[in-house]
Amino acid sequence: MGGEGGWLHLADAALPARSGSGESSGQGGGLPLSSPPSLTPPSPHTPVPLFPQHLLLFLLFVGPFNCFASYSRATELFYSLNEGLPAGVLIGSLARDLRLPTAGGQHPVAPQPPLSFTLASRGLGGQYVQLDNRSGELHTSAMEIDREALCVESSGATIFGGAAAASSSSSSPSSESCLLLLDVLVLPQEYFRLVKVKIAIRDVNDNAPRFPVPHIRLSVPENAPVNTRLAIEHPALDPDVGTNGVQTYRLRDNYGVFTLDVEENESGERTPYLIVMGALDRETREEYVTVIVAEDGGTPPLVGSATLTIDISDINDNCPQFSDSQLNITLYGNSTLGTHVATVHAVDMDLGSNAQITYSYSQKVPQPSRDLFHLDESTGAIMLSSKVDGDTPKLHRLIILGNGPGCIPAVITVLVTIIKVMMRPPEVVPRFIANEVEGVVYLKELEPVNTPIAFFTIKDPDEKYKVNCYLDGDGPFRLSPYKPYNNEYLLETTKLLDYETQQLYEISVVAWNSEGFHVNKIIKVQVLDDNDNSPVFSQQLIELSIEENNVPNAFLTKLHATDADSGERGQVSYFLGPDAPSYFALDKTTGVLTVSTQLDREEKEKYRYTVKAVDSGFPPRESIATVTITVLDKNDNSPRFINKDFSFFVPENFPGFGEIGVISVTDADAGQNGWVALSVLNGSDIFVIDTGKGVLRAKVSLDREQQSSYVLWIEAVDGGDPALSSTAKITILLLDINDNPPLVLFPQSNMSYLLVLPSTLPGSPITEVYAVDKDTGMNAVIAYSIIGRRGPRPESFRIDPKTGNITLEESLMQNDYGLYRLLVKVSDHGYPEPLHSTVMVNLFVNDTVSNESYIESLLRKEPDISVEEKQPQISIEPAHKKMESASCMPTLVALSIISLGSTALVTGMGIYICLRKGKKHHRADENLEVQIPLNGRINLHMLEKKPMEISNI
């Protein structure tokens, strides 16, 4: 048994078991790099080595292991193609690349069954290829291959659908390849082989780099030295591989102090680094905003970007500073405890804890000064903490330090000069009526006018001087004496307070005596807010529009209402009014108005309802606005005919461009979308339609005899973009009018004649007049009548008004021989006026026709026939005919008796007949033919004028 590349010998078959591999180049595929030799089986006449008898036992032993032989016949083919190719691109030909015999090839063996190529399974790979079962050609299918969607990086191999990236070799795709694996069975048995096809999907640059976040923030300390490198934690991602992946990064604006560098790790990932190229100072600029751009290596290159914000973090590189180095303060000796002396303030340009400042006395400040003046270490406020007496020094030098973390303290000197006074200042003693906390009076804005705030008692401690007082400051307040008491004053309001206008007032009650000493008492009035304002919409009428067929939960607008009140009283919630349809929704917090369903303009074009804005006060206040929504039209309705089938009945010969009928069509859309144009799809050379009015007209007069009905298809197209259309069927039925006279088909000429034997029995049919009428109905009902007679005894013949059959009514005598000429009128029953034709029926009563030219000469002469205008009666019943025939029989019998009984009578009759014949010959030259009106399109030829005999029945 042969192994890989060997031969397997079984019976008369010898098949090579080689495996080939190769790779095609180009976009769609190509020839493999190597292919197996031809698998042509040997001829039946090829000598096969003979084996010993025990070979049978050997074959039976190795039979269960024949799978190894089949496996040895497996072959591998490699192809490659770009991703994203359209359907039908040739990947490769298995028959050619395997060097299998194809139809028409020259082989020394007898013709073999045709090859068959079949995919062993329709797995994931089979969805992307089409295999021709006969030729073995492999093409791309309609399902486009997207390498990034199908190939998932896993442990360094690109895998999908059971296929993995091949190892890098000269005959295999690169390590970045993505393989599509197919198993193809080659049949019939003579060429059976399992072919493993590997298709490498090449990457194309169809993806741009993309940052995982749109905004990247990076913090850099302001003391970062030049060439500091900081990794950007969110590098751009590109599903493409190789050079099609991310290659470079750049900054759109580097401000002259930044640049980018890219580092690549062992796995090939590129990470951008921000490099500091210049000195930074947060106090000069604390933030840089730029755009970072990632670019791949494709041709042309694709880019992606994100906003990069570089925050400069603070370090403690600044110390507190005072704006002045010394303050000079004068303090009266009679100042009360707690009097504010001065406030020192230092500034640190740093942030947060780096800018935290505390204030303290220098160690050079003596303890008596420390006890007399209290320094707030946080605010820097200096307050009088002890009473000034006669032993208190007049000058105090206060050295105050501004301390910052890690800094040398800033220094300021406060010189306080105490001026001693001999008298005591006036006293102002408040007694508050309104709510007061730490010198702040709280009043509600809705308090009435003249609301009392406080009583003030003004007095001189020494009771030597007159004391006056007044109110200093702006605001709706009044300080007036409270009678009948002296030195009592009442502070009250003069107007309504409005929180929304002003929240805080600061006033002073000033008292002074006759010596000019002033004392003021500062009072702060805080106005408390009340729910006295309703929400106010920015628009009382909110006009909106939206196209119909909108997506569900479509955004309409965001309502906005403001409330001048504060706190919860100013928080606004939004609600729909009771007249709003249920499919509109309003977010109570954000005011976003949406519609939850699709709107149909044809169902309703305008909506109008109210919305409310309600605050959270108690009781709540609200305001109302009106929302109007106009649904804009879209071309979503096709034109509609009122009927799918129209039928019109039109009399023939209707005048050209006359109105046949009106085609009614509507379109529920509006404007241009609802404008409808009508056109005739078929029969446009005969019919036209008025686009605006829908009037159908015929260009020419219509003839029912040419065509009795027309079926038209009318198309209605609206003016939308894209336009919509519909069709309707129009049936036009032509009503007959009496416009065709009867057409006599037999006899075909006024010059034809018929031989009537004298022996013909009465009642026998002689001939017939046959006519047709192209009209229909009563217009085509034909009646026959004899309106003119000429002959020896012309009353001998009668015509049936219905059938046109001419019969002999009376027996013919010897003196009845000769030519009879019957002028037959063929008339229809048309309305309003019947039409008719005439024909001459010529009957020659004789035993034989001995002189045919003589008869023809008689026929050429104009007959002297008087026309009897008598309407044919076609409604006569058959019983009347019998009565008429019965009434003729006695007359014939009487005539026979008279002729037999009287010889004289017979002789007279003979003479009479001769005289009549002579008279006929005398007038033969004046005979004219009576014409038959015939249709011009029918060419009727005159029949050969030969006598016809009628046999008696």
Side-chain angles (χ1 to χ4, degrees):
M1 168 175 267
E4 181 72 31
W7 290 82
L8 174 66
H9 301 276
L10 288 176
D12 293 335
L15 298 176
R18 287 185 59 186
S19 64
S21 64
E23 180 181 4
S24 62
S25 61
Q27 213 175 34
L31 293 173
L33 295 178
S34 62
S35 302
S38 175
L39 301 183
T40 306
S43 170
H45 304 289
T46 302
V48 179
L50 298 177
F51 299 93
Q53 295 287 338
H54 58 269
L55 178 60
L56 178 61
L57 296 176
F58 176 75
L59 292 176
L60 292 175
F61 175 76
V62 300
F65 306 98
N66 56 8
C67 60
F68 298 108
S70 299
Y71 183 80
S72 68
R73 295 156 71 184
T75 305
E76 284 189 352
L77 290 178
F78 284 100
Y79 298 102
S80 65
L81 75 160
N82 291 345
E83 62 173 325
L85 293 178
V89 176
L90 177 64
I91 301 174
S93 174
L94 272 63
R96 180 191 64 196
D97 297 340
L98 293 173
R99 300 182 182 177
L100 296 177
T102 58
Q106 300 297 327
H107 299 286
V109 297
Q112 299 296 326
L115 293 175
S116 173
F117 299 86
T118 308
L119 288 175
S121 65
R122 298 292 296 184
L124 179 63
Q127 301 176 8
Y128 301 96
V129 297
Q130 290 288 341
L131 177 62
D132 191 307
N133 294 340
R134 303 302 300 272
S135 66
E137 289 187 348
L138 200 61
H139 295 82
T140 57
S141 69
M143 183 174 291
E144 184 179 291
I145 299 177
D146 184 1
R147 183 187 181 281
E148 290 74 34
L150 297 179
C151 299
V152 180
E153 296 295 333
S154 177
S155 302
T158 306
I159 301 174
F160 72 91
S167 60
S168 177
S169 66
S170 61
S171 62
S172 301
S174 65
S175 60
E176 293 180 346
S177 295
C178 175
L179 295 184
L180 189 67
L181 297 185
L182 304 172
D183 289 342
V184 180
L185 297 177
V186 182
L187 296 174
Q189 186 64 32
E190 292 85 344
Y191 303 100
F192 172 72
R193 175 161 296 211
L194 174 63
V195 182
K196 291 188 173 293
V197 180
K198 297 183 178 181
I199 303 173
I201 310 302
R202 290 195 296 263
D203 182 50
V204 297
N205 192 28
D206 56 346
N207 292 278
R210 190 177 67 85
F211 286 90
V213 293
H215 196 168
I216 303 173
R217 299 193 76 92
L218 190 65
S219 180
V220 180
E222 61 177 326
N223 63 342
V226 176
N227 294 328
T228 298
R229 300 169 64 88
L230 299 168
I232 297 177
E233 298 181 354
H234 301 285
L237 305 176
D238 193 328
D240 297 324
V241 297
T243 58
N244 292 333
V246 178
Q247 299 297 317
T248 60
Y249 292 87
R250 68 176 184 273
L251 293 177
R252 190 165 294 173
D253 186 359
N254 58 17
Y255 298 97
V257 293
F258 298 106
T259 188
L260 287 179
D261 190 17
V262 180
E263 290 186 4
E264 185 175 352
N265 59 18
E266 296 179 355
S267 62
E269 296 179 352
R270 296 174 181 265
T271 302
Y273 281 80
L274 181 71
I275 302 177
V276 179
M277 302 297 295
L280 304 175
D281 185 8
R282 189 207 63 79
E283 287 73 34
T284 303
R285 185 165 187 168
E286 62 181 3
E287 182 183 77
Y288 295 87
V289 180
T290 184
V291 175
I292 181 172
V293 180
E295 183 176 305
D296 63 22
T299 304
L302 302 177
V303 298
S305 63
T307 302
L308 176 63
T309 301
I310 305 171
D311 296 320
I312 308 302
S313 59
D314 183 56
I315 64 170
N316 191 25
D317 57 346
N318 290 278
C319 290
Q321 291 182 351
F322 289 106
S323 57
D324 298 315
S325 60
Q326 181 173 313
L327 290 178
N328 296 317
I329 304 297
T330 300
L331 181 67
Y332 290 104
N334 59 353
S335 298
T336 60
L337 295 178
T339 299
H340 179 266
V341 178
T343 299
V344 295
H345 181 68
V347 177
D348 192 324
M349 298 299 293
D350 292 327
L351 294 176
S353 60
N354 294 330
Q356 187 173 0
I357 301 175
T358 60
Y359 302 93
S360 62
Y361 285 124
S362 170
Q363 294 180 356
K364 297 180 180 180
V365 177
Q367 188 63 38
S369 296
R370 294 172 182 254
D371 296 339
L372 183 61
F373 301 102
H374 171 72
L375 174 64
D376 191 304
E377 64 175 7
S378 298
T379 64
I382 302 173
M383 310 292 289
L384 182 64
S385 59
S386 298
K387 187 175 181 180
V388 179
D389 53 22
D391 298 330
T392 303
K394 296 182 179 180
L395 180 64
H396 295 268
R397 186 182 184 89
L398 305 178
I399 301 175
I400 299 174
L401 305 179
N403 305 295
C407 291
I408 297 176
V411 180
I412 187 173
T413 301
V414 179
L415 293 178
V416 181
T417 301
I418 300 177
I419 300 175
K420 293 184 178 181
V421 284
M422 299 306 294
M423 64 182 64
R424 290 185 293 176
E427 292 182 356
V428 178
V429 181
R431 289 171 291 169
F432 291 99
I433 302 172
N435 184 27
E436 180 267 339
V437 178
E438 296 182 356
V440 179
V441 177
Y442 295 91
L443 292 177
K444 292 184 177 181
E445 62 175 330
L446 296 183
E447 292 288 351
V449 180
N450 299 326
T451 296
I453 299 175
F455 278 113
F456 289 90
T457 302
I458 309 299
K459 62 181 180 178
D460 181 13
D462 300 326
E463 298 181 355
K464 296 181 181 180
Y465 307 99
K466 182 179 179 181
V467 179
N468 295 314
C469 74
Y470 65 92
L471 186 64
D472 185 22
D474 297 329
F477 305 102
R478 176 177 59 214
L479 183 65
S480 57
Y482 190 75
K483 296 181 178 180
Y485 304 104
N486 294 324
N487 299 330
E488 294 288 344
Y489 293 85
L490 175 65
L491 178 64
E492 59 185 353
T493 61
T494 59
K495 295 181 181 179
L496 290 175
L497 301 178
D498 188 0
Y499 174 86
E500 288 71 36
T501 302
Q502 187 170 345
Q503 292 88 35
L504 181 65
Y505 296 90
E506 186 171 307
I507 55 178
S508 298
V509 176
V510 181
W512 84 97
N513 59 18
S514 57
E515 297 297 322
F517 282 97
H518 291 75
V519 174
N520 65 334
K521 180 65 175 180
I522 298 175
I523 300 173
K524 294 181 179 181
V525 179
Q526 176 68 53
V527 181
L528 300 178
D529 186 31
D530 208 337
N531 193 31
D532 59 338
N533 290 280
S534 299
V536 177
F537 281 99
S538 56
Q539 293 176 287
Q540 286 299 313
L541 179 61
I542 304 166
E543 296 178 327
L544 307 174
S545 63
I546 184 174
E547 281 193 341
E548 63 176 330
N549 303 331
N550 54 282
V551 297
N553 299 318
F555 172 84
L556 293 176
T557 189
K558 184 176 181 180
L559 302 180
H560 181 66
T562 58
D563 193 316
D565 295 324
S566 62
E568 291 184 354
R569 291 172 291 273
Q571 293 180 359
V572 180
S573 300
Y574 302 90
F575 302 93
L576 291 172
D579 53 346
S582 60
Y583 38 84
F584 289 96
L586 180 59
D587 189 287
K588 64 177 296 185
T589 304
T590 64
V592 173
L593 181 63
T594 58
V595 55
S596 61
T597 186
Q598 284 189 347
L599 299 180
D600 187 357
R601 189 204 66 82
E602 290 71 37
E603 181 179 337
K604 189 171 184 179
E605 183 176 6
K606 289 187 178 293
Y607 295 87
R608 185 182 181 95
Y609 53 86
T610 57
V611 290
K612 295 190 299 183
V614 183
D615 62 22
S616 301
F618 184 79
R621 301 176 69 97
E622 66 180 38
S623 62
I624 296 177
T626 301
V627 176
T628 63
I629 300 175
T630 302
V631 183
L632 303 179
D633 184 55
K634 291 181 70 175
N635 193 28
D636 58 344
N637 289 278
S638 301
R640 293 187 60 184
F641 291 92
I642 59 172
N643 295 315
K644 297 303 290 183
D645 294 323
F646 291 85
S647 297
F648 297 106
F649 295 88
V650 181
E652 63 174 331
N653 301 331
F654 195 67
F657 291 97
E659 182 178 322
I660 294 175
V662 177
I663 310 300
S664 297
V665 61
T666 60
D667 194 313
D669 294 322
Q672 186 73 15
N673 295 332
W675 181 85
V676 179
L678 298 174
S679 61
V680 181
L681 296 180
N682 61 324
S684 58
D685 54 338
I686 300 178
F687 297 94
V688 294
I689 190 166
D690 186 339
T691 296
K693 299 180 180 179
V695 177
L696 182 65
R697 306 176 190 272
K699 298 179 183 178
V700 297
S701 180
L702 304 178
D703 188 358
R704 189 204 63 79
E705 286 70 40
Q706 293 184 1
Q707 187 170 342
S708 61
S709 65
Y710 296 87
V711 176
L712 305 178
W713 288 95
I714 303 296
E715 182 182 38
V717 181
D718 62 23
D721 184 19
L724 301 177
S725 63
S726 61
T727 57
K729 179 182 178 183
I730 312 297
T731 303
I732 301 174
L733 302 173
L734 297 183
L735 302 177
D736 184 53
I737 65 173
N738 194 26
D739 59 344
N740 291 279
L743 176 63
V744 179
L745 300 180
F746 184 84
Q748 296 181 349
S749 172
N750 289 339
M751 299 297 293
S752 62
Y753 65 93
L754 183 67
L755 177 64
V756 180
L757 298 178
S759 60
T760 303
L761 296 178
S764 299
I766 303 301
T767 185
E768 70 171 342
V769 177
Y770 179 68
V772 294
D773 195 316
K774 294 181 181 179
D775 295 323
T776 60
M778 294 302 296
N779 295 332
V781 175
I782 297 175
Y784 302 88
S785 63
I786 299 174
I787 61 173
R789 303 171 185 264
R790 184 72 175 175
R793 192 154 52 92
E795 294 82 6
S796 301
F797 299 96
R798 178 184 177 276
I799 189 168
D800 188 296
K802 288 185 177 181
T803 64
N805 292 331
I806 298 176
T807 57
L808 179 64
E809 293 295 306
E810 300 176 355
S811 298
L812 297 174
M813 304 300 178
Q814 187 175 1
N815 55 356
D816 293 335
Y817 285 35
L819 181 62
Y820 290 79
R821 308 198 74 176
L822 305 177
L823 182 58
V824 178
K825 179 181 180 182
V826 183
S827 176
D828 60 24
H829 283 63
Y831 180 84
E833 182 179 355
L835 301 179
H836 70 276
S837 302
T838 58
V839 67
M840 188 68 73
V841 178
N842 302 302
L843 303 176
F844 184 64
V845 179
N846 203 0
D847 292 327
T848 61
V849 179
S850 59
N851 190 350
E852 187 174 342
S853 60
Y854 168 71
I855 299 175
E856 292 179 356
S857 66
L858 294 177
L859 294 175
R860 283 194 291 271
K861 296 179 181 180
E862 179 181 1
D864 185 11
I865 300 176
S866 59
V867 178
E868 303 173 3
E869 282 299 335
K870 183 168 62 175
Q871 292 294 333
Q873 301 295 327
I874 64 172
S875 60
I876 300 176
E877 296 296 331
H880 297 167
K881 293 183 180 179
K882 293 181 181 180
M883 293 175 61
E884 184 180 354
S885 299
S887 63
C888 293
M889 291 302 295
T891 305
L892 294 175
V893 173
L895 289 175
S896 299
I897 295 174
I898 294 173
S899 62
L900 293 176
S902 177
T903 303
L905 182 58
V906 173
T907 303
M909 290 180 65
I911 295 171
Y912 174 74
I913 293 173
C914 291
L915 290 175
R916 290 189 64 181
K917 288 183 179 180
K919 191 175 181 180
K920 288 181 182 179
H921 289 293
H922 177 72
R923 292 185 299 188
D925 295 335
E926 300 176 357
N927 185 25
L928 296 176
E929 179 182 3
V930 179
Q931 296 295 327
I932 305 174
L934 301 175
N935 190 304
R937 297 198 306 178
I938 302 177
N939 186 14
L940 299 177
H941 299 282
M942 185 179 296
L943 294 176
E944 187 178 1
K945 301 178 183 61
K946 291 185 179 181
M948 300 177 62
E949 293 185 1
I950 298 177
S951 301
N952 294 328
I953 300 177

